[in-house]
Amino acid sequence: MSEVPRVVVVGSCMTDLISYVPTLPKPGETLHGSQFLVGFGGKGANQAVAAAKLGANTALVGKLGTDAFGDNYMANLQSVGINVSNVGRAEGPSGVATITVDDNAENCIVIVGGANNKLSPGDVLEAESLLKTARVAVFQMEIPLETNVAALKQLKTCNPTCITVFNAAPATKELPAELYPLVDVFCVNESEAEVLLGLDSVKTVSDASKAAKLLKSRGCSVGMVTLGASGVVYMDESGDMTHVPCKKVDAVDTTGAGDAFIGALACLMARDTFMPFEEKVRLGCAIASESVTKLGTQSSYPDEAFLNHLFKQ
């Protein structure tokens, strides 16, 4: 693993409890499933694992519980080479995610934050030595919002050249105005864009372009919307709009695909300052597309050999 790139993710760890079913259940309906898996998830850890597996020297700032889930999760992070010096333990349960995946690879997810809800601004302050070395720092919405804001402000002081990526997921209706100018790349998917921006529908490239422009107008450097199989739309620092399509694949499980994209993008921004941003997004889409061809979340993420294969294409 290269020691040059440096990605720091401030975020969540969730143990995934995954059931595979023919169709997603309706209210009050009980279904027979075909398979059950226990895996490692949580948006923060997913993004960290995605970056680490692609070769980025990666650290996670997070919080696990004092249960067996926490013990197993710490071992998992260490097994992929993630720096866990600032992954703390909080008395009580770890975070869990109950995930249902249907035969069309669509999913629905319920998360219970557990120890993730105890990740505090003080924990981030203790991680300043990591933040000072970061080329890219990544954030999501499965930890307290105040912790994200504190960390983003801290970075502007201790490491102002660090590229900040904010993935506003899960969806939220409102974020403080002060957050947007602290973010370089602000990324949401279709449904998150609808909720955050108050839009009726974000389904098409045209819809996503309007959403990206609205995000950019709130003060971030790059407003980005992911469209699943339809790719990514973003408005860059110059105000130019770009659509990057995704390669069509036979998807079997889309869980964590957005995190694979964010982790890949963070890795690429950390390791190569000369590659055009559009090419980094294209490669991120290719990584995410590959991940949906396998079952599971982190276990489906491609490794550095796959990334090197993409470089040769």
Side-chain angles (χ1 to χ4, degrees):
M1 182 177 294
S2 171
E3 292 299 318
V4 177
R6 188 66 170 177
V7 175
V8 176
V9 180
V10 180
S12 58
C13 301
M14 303 275 186
T15 296
D16 289 344
L17 308 175
I18 312 170
S19 297
Y20 294 90
V21 295
T23 59
L24 296 179
K26 300 174 183 177
E29 184 179 16
T30 299
L31 296 175
H32 284 283
S34 59
Q35 191 174 0
F36 175 76
L37 298 176
V38 178
F40 299 104
K43 299 194 72 64
N46 287 349
Q47 293 164 7
V49 168
K53 289 181 75 170
L54 293 171
N57 182 15
T58 305
L60 178 66
V61 180
K63 191 81 76 173
L64 292 166
T66 50
D67 52 8
F69 284 155
D71 296 339
N72 293 337
Y73 213 118
M74 186 69 81
N76 171 64
L77 294 171
Q78 293 170 326
S79 73
V80 293
I82 291 175
N83 181 326
V84 295
S85 60
N86 287 92
V87 178
R89 305 295 291 266
E91 187 68 31
S94 300
V96 296
T98 304
I99 304 171
T100 306
V101 182
D102 71 11
D103 284 347
N104 293 317
E106 295 297 332
N107 62 67
C108 61
I109 304 172
V110 175
I111 62 171
V112 181
N116 295 294
N117 297 330
K118 298 179 181 179
L119 187 65
S120 70
D123 293 318
V124 174
L125 189 61
E126 292 179 3
E128 185 160 303
S129 61
L130 285 178
L131 295 177
K132 282 182 176 179
T133 67
R135 290 187 180 179
V136 180
V138 185
F139 305 85
Q140 334 71 34
M141 290 292 294
E142 289 181 345
I143 61 171
L145 177 59
E146 64 177 0
T147 303
N148 280 324
V149 173
L152 285 163
K153 289 181 176 179
Q154 188 175 334
L155 274 167
K156 291 300 181 183
T157 301
C158 75
N159 187 2
T161 62
C162 177
I163 300 168
T164 53
V165 179
F166 193 88
N167 179 208
T172 182
K173 289 186 177 181
E174 189 174 350
L175 289 171
E178 65 175 337
L179 184 146
Y180 293 93
L182 301 172
V183 175
D184 293 308
V185 180
F186 193 107
C187 183
V188 290
N189 67 16
E190 311 99 303
S191 61
E192 292 153 3
E194 290 169 0
V195 173
L196 180 62
L197 300 172
L199 300 174
D200 291 334
S201 177
V202 178
K203 305 295 182 188
T204 66
V205 171
S206 177
D207 296 335
S209 297
K210 294 175 184 176
K213 185 175 181 180
L214 277 173
L215 288 173
K216 179 84 167 58
S217 72
R218 294 187 177 186
C220 58
S221 298
V222 176
M224 178 178 289
V225 180
T226 60
L227 289 170
S230 297
V232 175
V233 175
Y234 67 91
M235 176 175 275
D236 65 19
E237 295 173 279
S238 301
D240 294 328
M241 194 73 70
T242 303
H243 171 226
V244 179
C246 269
K247 175 184 175 183
K248 290 187 177 181
V249 296
D250 294 324
V252 297
D253 186 353
T254 60
T255 308
D259 297 331
F261 169 77
I262 293 289
L265 185 62
C267 172
L268 291 162
M269 288 192 294
R271 70 179 284 168
D272 192 330
T273 57
F274 298 103
M275 180 186 293
F277 185 71
E278 182 177 350
E279 178 65 7
K280 295 173 185 176
V281 174
R282 186 189 71 79
L283 290 169
C285 287
I287 294 294
S289 294
E290 177 67 12
S291 76
V292 306
T293 64
K294 301 176 180 65
L295 296 180
T297 307
Q298 294 175 15
S299 59
S300 73
Y301 292 165
D303 59 14
E304 191 171 8
F306 182 80
L307 179 59
N308 290 335
H309 170 71
L310 292 177
F311 284 146
K312 295 175 183 178
Q313 291 184 339

